[in-house]
Structure formats: structure tokens, C-alpha cells
Amino acid sequence: MTAIVGDIQAKGYLDVAIDPTLDLIEEINKLKKEKNAVILAHYYQEPEIQDIADYIGDSLGLSQEAAKTDADVIVFAGVHFMAETAKILSPSKKVLLPDAHAGCSLSDSCPPHLFAKFKEQYPDHLVITYVNCTAELKALSDIVCTSSNAVEIVESLPVDQKIIFGPDRNLGAYVKKKTGRDLVLWNGACMVHEIFSQEKIQQLMHSHPTAKFIAHPECEDHILAMADYVGSTAGMLKFTQKDPSQKYIVATESGIIHQMQKASPGKQFIPAPPNNACACNDCPHMKLNTLEKLYNCLKYELPAIELDAQVIAAAQRPIERMLEISAQLGL
Ligand code: 13P
Ligand code: SF4
């Protein structure tokens, strides 16, 4: 076992050979029943992982699901901060992440020790952090938010409440614009949502004049300014289901297109083009998870999320505040 754990630290996952004759979907379903496990997957996962999940959603939906599940084991097909959030909400459960190296550039852009210093400069400010951050950063926060509820959470506070918002400068700027509040922003960003080319999107809109342009609020302001709809992944998905258009240019990670296509088979979804021909809209962290890693992770119950009890205790309250406000607002 020591060797296996050592191996996981280096590689991020359990590299145990899998019998190639196994039907992995069948085996995963069997293991889920045996262990009373649930698979929660984010929309940015590979389609085959989305298709085997018990629940697929955006960060808010996934947190709500993690808080209410009665499973003993949660396999989080997503990235590290999401699995940590599930562990904070359900500390007695085993929370597994198929690849422990599935991180997040946005979370990495806000080291907690630097944020603590930043926060010291604004002692009378309330701290709202986007869920895409480490457990330690959540522990330094008053309220957590997601892209589904950031605007509403800020609006739920008194107008004269001074607020620090981190770590995403783009979501922060969007919330500032929507609410008219003067937020102090941390200068962080997501590598996937900052690659879109305004010029190439304009060209695409020109060649598809009936297409609507939809974007995630982690995109830069000049990209959001062109959008017909701005929202979280769940919001974008809902929009494409209700909206009468037949074509959409989608500015977010490409994994969501799998659900959009499933929900509206007759419609066409075009990924928004990145500014560099070598780049793509895939999140390299999200895409580290594979069906094989998920199978091994469920079978051997490794890698598991471990967090310091003090961090869990401090990070729980701001996440619960977000869930309470969201429930009050029916989000
Ligand atoms: P949502 O799915 O909550 O919109 O978050 C997007 C994202 O970047 C997750 O990493
Ligand atoms: Fe992080 Fe961006 Fe990947 Fe989401 S898409 S996990 S914010 S790097």
C-alpha cells in the first residue's frame, strides 16, 4: 500500500493495470452499488464520464448535491477545489478524485498566504470568494459564491457593505458591472476562459448570422460585451434549451457542448475560437480524469481528499452561507 500511495503522489492517480476485457461502465456501476458510492461530475468532464455520472452539474449544483447525498463515498469527477468543497460539506464521507493532479489555474492564481496579506489592507471589508479556490482560501472568506449566484449574493448584502472579491478578476468585473457595487478585486483568472479571440468570434458571428453568442462570466469583459447571454455552465445550458435559436457560438470549456447537444439534438453548437491556433477550449486539468482512472479510484478508494480539521471547520461556514442564501433565493 505504501508503494501505491507513493506512486499516487508522483503521478496523481493509481496506475494499476486494468484487464482490457472488462466492461468498465458495468464494473463502475457494480462498484458503486457495493460501496454505496455516488459519482458527481462537472460539465467539463469527458462525455463518457458525464454519461456514467449520477449527477452532472455546475459548481453550485455539485455543492448542493455533495451537501445532501447519503452515499458513503463521493467520486468527484472534476477538479481538486470541487472535491475539497465536497469534503468540507461532508467531512465524514470518503471523497475521491480520479486524478489528484487535476488542479485549476484560477485557484493557483490566488495563494492563500498572499491573499491573507491583501485582506489585511481592507479590515472593514467582507470577503466573498469564488468557489474556484483552495480550502485554505475559503477558510479566509466570509461567503463563497459560484458563477450561478455571485450577482445575487452581492445584491443580498447591504448597499454600503464594503466587499473584497476574489480570485477571478473577470467574474469580479462582471459582478461589479451588474450590481453597480464597488468591489475590491483580486487579480486572478482562468487560463481557459481568457484564450478567446474577439476578432475570430466576430468573424464566426458574421459567417453564422443566425447564431447566438453565449459566454461564461470567467471570460474577459470585451468578450462578454458581445454576448447575447452570459451565465454559468448550467445557465448557458438552460438558455440553449429555452431559447428558440438553432445555432450557438459557445465561449466556455468545450465539455458543456456534450450536454447542450444531448438536450437539444437538432441545434448546432460551435465552440468559440481561441486566439492561438495551437490552443483549444479544453481545460487541461478537468481533462486529466479518465474512465480508467475513475475505475481504479473507486475500486481502491484512492486518491482520497484529506483536509486539516481546522481548515474544514473554518471553510464550512462561508460555503454554508452561500447554500443558505441560494436556498432563500430559490437558486
Ligand atoms: P460553473 O460550472 O460553476 O459555471 O464553473 C465553471 C468553471 O470554470 C468550473 O471550473
Ligand atoms: Fe479552473 Fe478554468 Fe479549468 Fe475551471 S476551466 S477548472 S476555472 S482552469
Side-chain angles (χ1 to χ4, degrees):
M1 190 55 84
T2 318
I4 288 178
V5 173
D7 197 38
I8 286 183
Q9 267 163 5
K11 287 192 169 143
Y13 59 94
L14 205 53
D15 194 11
V16 177
I18 300 173
D19 175 355
T21 62
L22 280 185
D23 177 338
L24 282 189
I25 311 275
E26 208 177 290
E27 295 301 316
I28 290 171
N29 281 328
K30 258 196 244 163
L31 286 169
K32 261 190 347 190
K33 265 199 199 128
E34 258 170 55
K35 295 173 185 262
N36 187 28
V38 71
I39 300 176
L40 307 184
H42 188 267
Y43 290 127
Y44 296 164
Q45 291 295 287
E46 294 289 359
E48 56 184 5
I49 294 184
Q50 293 189 35
D51 289 345
I52 200 178
D54 297 287
Y55 178 85
I56 320 162
D58 70 351
S59 307
L60 176 62
L62 288 164
S63 312
Q64 288 166 331
E65 209 57 32
K68 72 176 185 210
T69 181
D70 54 10
D72 296 313
V73 177
I74 298 174
V75 181
F76 215 112
V79 289
H80 203 262
F81 76 81
M82 295 179 169
E84 274 188 348
T85 305
K87 183 72 182 173
I88 294 164
L89 287 166
S90 298
S92 61
K93 295 189 196 304
K94 190 165 258 186
V95 179
L96 307 169
L97 181 62
D99 190 322
H101 289 177
C104 168
S105 63
L106 176 52
S107 177
D108 290 347
S109 69
C110 194
H113 69 286
L114 296 182
F115 189 81
K117 285 214 172 99
F118 177 72
K119 187 181 149 175
E120 275 171 21
Q121 296 170 48
Y122 305 96
D124 53 350
H125 285 54
L126 191 98
V127 178
I128 303 183
T129 49
Y130 186 33
V131 70
N132 300 33
C133 66
T134 59
E136 288 76 12
L137 204 78
K138 290 181 178 81
L140 294 170
S141 314
D142 296 298
I143 315 178
V144 165
C145 73
T146 75
S147 52
S148 266
N149 57 23
V151 168
E152 290 82 358
I153 284 183
V154 169
E155 276 173 345
S156 75
L157 300 169
V159 270
D160 57 349
Q161 175 65 60
K162 293 178 180 167
I163 299 167
I164 295 176
F165 188 95
D168 188 11
R169 60 173 175 244
N170 295 319
L171 177 64
Y174 173 73
V175 174
K176 243 173 129 166
K177 214 176 199 173
K178 290 290 275 185
T179 61
R181 306 282 180 102
D182 185 23
L183 313 178
V184 176
L185 303 183
W186 177 266
N187 192 19
C190 156
M191 62 192 284
V192 179
H193 288 89
E194 285 209 328
I195 57 159
F196 298 112
S197 158
Q198 184 172 7
E199 204 185 320
K200 289 184 187 167
I201 293 170
Q202 273 162 347
Q203 284 165 5
L204 204 56
M205 286 164 93
H206 191 70
S207 40
H208 298 274
T210 59
K212 287 214 172 124
F213 175 55
I214 58 175
H216 193 279
E218 284 177 28
C219 296
E220 292 165 289
D221 184 52
H222 62 275
I223 301 291
L224 298 182
M226 300 192 291
D228 296 293
Y229 175 80
V230 175
S232 70
T233 50
M236 292 168 96
L237 175 61
K238 259 187 228 140
F239 178 78
T240 59
Q241 286 173 274
K242 287 191 184 153
D243 182 72
S245 304
Q246 293 301 304
K247 236 187 231 185
Y248 301 88
I249 299 166
V250 184
T252 190
E253 213 270 359
S254 56
I256 185 71
I257 291 180
H258 178 59
Q259 289 305 319
M260 290 176 172
Q261 202 69 77
K262 268 175 102 170
S264 309
K267 296 189 178 186
Q268 190 187 346
F269 301 96
I270 309 166
N275 48 33
N276 178 338
C278 307
C280 71
N281 310 359
D282 281 347
C283 170
H285 309 287
M286 286 278 181
K287 291 327 201 240
L288 280 178
N289 295 323
T290 62
L291 208 56
E292 288 73 18
K293 288 178 190 172
L294 196 155
Y295 166 74
N296 271 340
C297 147
L298 182 55
K299 182 166 178 188
Y300 299 100
E301 301 187 17
L302 285 168
I305 300 290
E306 303 290 348
L307 284 173
D308 183 87
Q310 274 183 328
V311 172
I312 292 186
Q316 225 162 33
R317 187 64 202 131
I319 305 174
E320 280 169 2
R321 272 190 86 179
M322 166 185 83
L323 295 177
E324 282 158 19
I325 299 173
S326 299
Q328 279 160 17
L329 298 172
L331 298 170

